Amino acid sequence: QVELVESGGGLVQAGGSLRLSCAASGFTLDRKTIGWFRQAPGKERQGVLCLSNADGSTLSANSVKGRFTVSRDTAKNMVYLQMNDLRPEDTALYYCAVATVANLCLLTYEYEYWGQGTQVTVSS
């Protein structure tokens, strides 16, 4: 059974940090494109960061550049989203997603598998 499970969300003050984890089971994350997305209430789901399987490059949304990073641990079959200097506008439900192939890896339709999400709330 293919499953992605996010964890690590919570409540943090502005300027603080969180690290989200995404554990995969039923398939390997190796040679897959990984994406992190978020959805705030009343808004569309948007791409935050993605890690390409083609060349290992990352692509970030402008709003998180210099603050968020993504990493993969293939031995543990996990992906992480390190979030620093958090702002109230980062408050959202955060999802990890996996694609076998993705040409535009910040777009939701590229992804085959999704987790259930973990809530991040940043207070001012």
Side-chain angles (χ1 to χ4, degrees):
Q1 181 181 354
V2 172
E3 190 176 28
L4 293 171
V5 178
E6 302 94 337
S7 61
L11 174 64
V12 64
Q13 288 189 331
S17 297
L18 281 175
R19 188 177 82 153
L20 305 184
S21 300
C22 175
S25 58
F27 68 105
T28 177
L29 291 175
D30 192 24
R31 293 190 294 275
K32 301 290 195 301
T33 289
I34 310 298
W36 282 97
F37 294 80
R38 66 186 181 188
Q39 188 166 18
K43 295 188 177 181
E44 292 187 355
R45 193 172 298 186
Q46 63 171 185
V48 176
L49 266 175
C50 53
L51 176 61
S52 171
N53 69 330
D55 57 6
S57 62
T58 59
L59 189 61
S60 304
N62 288 335
S63 58
V64 305
K65 279 182 179 177
R67 301 188 298 124
F68 291 13
T69 56
V70 61
S71 61
R72 182 199 330 239
D73 186 332
T74 54
K76 294 183 178 179
N77 214 29
M78 294 190 68
V79 182
Y80 304 97
L81 179 67
Q82 178 66 43
M83 305 186 295
N84 299 326
D85 189 23
L86 282 161
R87 304 167 182 171
E89 54 264 38
D90 295 319
T91 294
L93 190 60
Y94 282 73
Y95 300 87
C96 67
V98 174
T100 303
V101 177
N103 295 314
L104 299 171
C105 64
L106 283 178
L107 299 182
T108 57
Y109 68 77
E110 296 275 18
Y111 291 84
E112 302 147 59
Y113 307 111
W114 290 84
Q116 294 301 306
T118 185
Q119 179 66 39
V120 171
T121 303
V122 184
S123 63
S124 57

